[in-house]
Amino acid sequence: MEDHDILARVEALETRCPKLGHQVPFAYCRKESGALPCSRALVCWSPRFPVALVLRKYLGDEAYEAAFAAPPKSRIQSLMEAIEAAKERCSEAPSGP
């Protein structure tokens, strides 16, 4: 089995996301932070498959370390960042017809 076949198979797997509160595919977690995976991906997916090996192979060592070397953000910090991003999107959106 080739690398892209393996990645396609694991991207279709789903698990419950503790941040969002519902089922999400691994494909979402792999890109949750833009080019980097969710900081909780290792914790959430390690019972299902060797997620660290898959992500390290897909990302490369440097990006893998960037994604998982820093401690994860607190829930409050994540919420504050989401609120700020929403405010920016609202201020950029055209108003009314």
Side-chain angles (χ1 to χ4, degrees):
M1 191 176 288
E2 295 191 31
D3 290 345
H4 66 277
D5 294 332
I6 293 169
L7 187 58
R9 291 180 91 180
V10 297
E11 281 191 332
L13 294 174
E14 290 189 354
T15 194
R16 184 181 183 285
C17 176
K19 287 168 68 174
L20 300 176
H22 58 80
Q23 292 290 109
V24 295
F26 179 67
Y28 172 82
C29 301
R30 189 172 66 82
K31 298 177 185 176
E32 190 260 348
S33 296
L36 296 177
C38 174
S39 61
R40 297 185 51 87
L42 297 178
V43 173
C44 295
W45 289 98
S46 61
R48 305 277 310 270
F49 65 93
V51 66
L53 290 173
V54 171
L55 289 174
R56 192 175 290 275
K57 182 167 185 72
Y58 173 76
L59 295 171
D61 290 334
E62 191 172 309
Y64 181 89
E65 293 301 323
F68 300 111
K73 296 175 187 173
S74 71
R75 183 173 293 243
I76 293 175
Q77 185 180 8
S78 296
L79 285 171
M80 294 303 291
E81 287 177 6
I83 291 168
E84 289 301 318
K87 284 181 183 177
E88 287 179 24
R89 284 193 305 273
C90 287
S91 68
E92 294 171 0
S95 59

